[in-house]
Amino acid sequence: MHATAKGHIIQLDGIRFIAVALVLIDHFFSAVNIIPFGKLGVTIFFVLSGFLISRILLKSKEHYVTEPDGFKKYIRKFLIRRTIRIFPIYYLLLAILFILNVPPVREKFAWLALYGTNLYIGIYQTWLGSCDHLWSLAVEEQVYLFFPFLIFFVSKKNLIPWLAVMGVVGVLLRFYFYFSGKDWSVSYVTMPACLDSFALGGLMAWLQLYKKDIFLKLFDKTWPVLLGLLGWILMQYWNKSFGEIHNIVDVVFDRLVSSIFSFFLIGRAVTGYGGAMKYFLENPISVYLGKISYGIYLYHNFIYNHYHSGPNHPTVRLIHKIYQHFPSLEGNLTFEACLFSLLTVIVATISWYCFEKPINSLKDRYA
């Protein structure tokens, strides 16, 4: 395992880059794309979040469980560190969008500010324009509301059955929503219907900390990753065999199969890939883009959205100016996607160095 002195696993930054790149490919090629790369990217983030948060909480529990007021110290540390990392950039963005009156921020501000985007989508079975992607951040915040309690108050031995129940609940809920005729978005964005992803991440953390021999047997080879990828590809062929887009494979099984693939993809990165994959995950570009992936994900839909960026949007106006000077580029989706991605990385970089990084340094006080 290639990790820093503070225990930061280097290759996981490369995994973050893969996840956010899949989302960008899906969204910036949405005019022609028929493969759900974005769904896979979000699932990778969910499994990775489940792993990292469980690992942090389990280690913190070991430190505080025997101390007086141990739970108070444990939960305070977790909440402060999560708040420092997640909230500042999120609320800064909301404030900017509110001032600029970007739809539908002013109309739905309470839902956005309270991390209820996914609740709004699930209740009203409608999306929120350029704010659509914020549903996944809402899911993660809602998981953080109960996960620290689960980790602290459930014994190490009994945690695995609880994680298993979480996984089963996630799958069964998607079955229920599908057969009850709910819109596919309900299964996709409802927090309990995402729990199989977080449960697999939690299982990975438990194995790494308490069953290292089993962890190494599971993840010290690359062939399970390739097998998981093959399963995901075959699932896409099965999915396309249905007449309707949002069928039982898409609504119920996609997240489960994607989570299993993500489980092995991430676990192998923890033990450490070799060869070309090691170079890809550990090269400075991948590591950097993975480090700023939160900002990339947060900003990209406002840089450009195929369905909601109108003719007066700054990026659309920029494209038209470029086409005036280079008419041969007009309609070139690859050029447009690269331009949108570059602009997103520039904005995320400015955000990282001017805002996120200085604030994140405060987390060291609570390490």
Side-chain angles (χ1 to χ4, degrees), residues 341-367:
S341 299
L342 176 62
L343 292 173
T344 303
V345 170
I346 290 172
V347 172
T349 295
I350 294 171
S351 173
W352 173 255
Y353 282 105
C354 296
F355 194 72
E356 295 174 72
K357 189 176 180 180
I359 293 176
N360 284 346
S361 64
L362 298 174
K363 293 195 324 185
D364 292 340
R365 299 182 183 181
Y366 305 98

Side-chain angles (χ1 to χ4, degrees), residues 13-151:
D13 283 327
I15 297 295
R16 288 188 182 93
F17 168 53
I18 290 174
V20 80
L22 289 170
V23 173
L24 295 188
I25 290 169
D26 191 302
H27 290 180
F28 290 158
F29 283 98
S30 58
V32 296
N33 180 54
I34 60 172
I35 302 173
F37 292 119
K39 284 186 175 182
L40 177 59
V42 169
T43 300
I44 292 172
F45 274 127
F46 282 172
V47 177
L48 181 58
S49 181
F51 168 68
L52 293 173
I53 292 302
S54 299
R55 187 168 175 260
I56 290 169
L57 290 172
L58 287 167
K59 286 185 172 183
S60 183
K61 175 185 176 179
E62 290 176 354
H63 182 75
Y64 289 115
V65 70
T66 58
E67 292 188 8
D69 293 327
F71 176 73
K72 186 184 296 184
K73 297 174 183 176
Y74 157 92
I75 196 68
R76 181 177 61 191
K77 174 182 175 180
F78 173 76
L79 292 177
I80 290 174
R81 289 178 62 87
R82 285 292 88 196
T83 298
I84 289 172
R85 178 65 190 104
I86 300 298
F87 286 1
I89 180 178
Y90 181 79
Y91 288 113
L92 173 66
L93 176 64
L94 288 189
I96 293 171
L97 296 174
F98 186 92
I99 293 169
L100 296 177
N101 195 19
V102 175
V105 175
R106 290 188 181 180
E107 296 84 350
K108 311 299 180 187
F109 188 78
W111 293 94
L112 294 166
L114 295 173
Y115 282 92
T117 314
N118 66 325
L119 299 177
Y120 180 91
I121 295 170
I123 292 170
Y124 296 104
Q125 298 183 38
T126 186
W127 292 85
L128 285 167
S130 56
C131 297
D132 287 346
H133 64 303
L134 301 181
W135 73 268
S136 64
L137 303 181
V139 166
E140 295 210 16
E141 288 303 313
Q142 289 159 19
V143 169
Y144 298 160
L145 291 177
F146 74 89
F147 221 60
F149 296 88
L150 177 71
I151 297 290

Side-chain angles (χ1 to χ4, degrees), residues 283-322:
N283 81 80
I285 295 175
S286 296
V287 170
Y288 173 71
L289 293 176
K291 188 182 298 183
I292 66 169
S293 60
Y294 177 44
I296 291 174
Y297 183 81
L298 199 58
Y299 296 124
H300 81 278
N301 234 20
F302 304 106
I303 298 297
Y304 180 78
N305 183 291
H306 174 71
Y307 301 103
H308 304 290
S309 296
N312 292 322
H313 189 282
T315 303
V316 175
R317 293 165 64 184
L318 173 63
I319 292 173
H320 289 158
K321 287 185 178 180
I322 292 173

Side-chain angles (χ1 to χ4, degrees), residues 153-166:
F153 290 111
V154 174
S155 68
K156 179 170 66 176
K157 180 180 67 174
N158 292 329
L159 183 59
I160 297 304
W162 276 88
L163 292 174
V165 169
M166 282 173 53

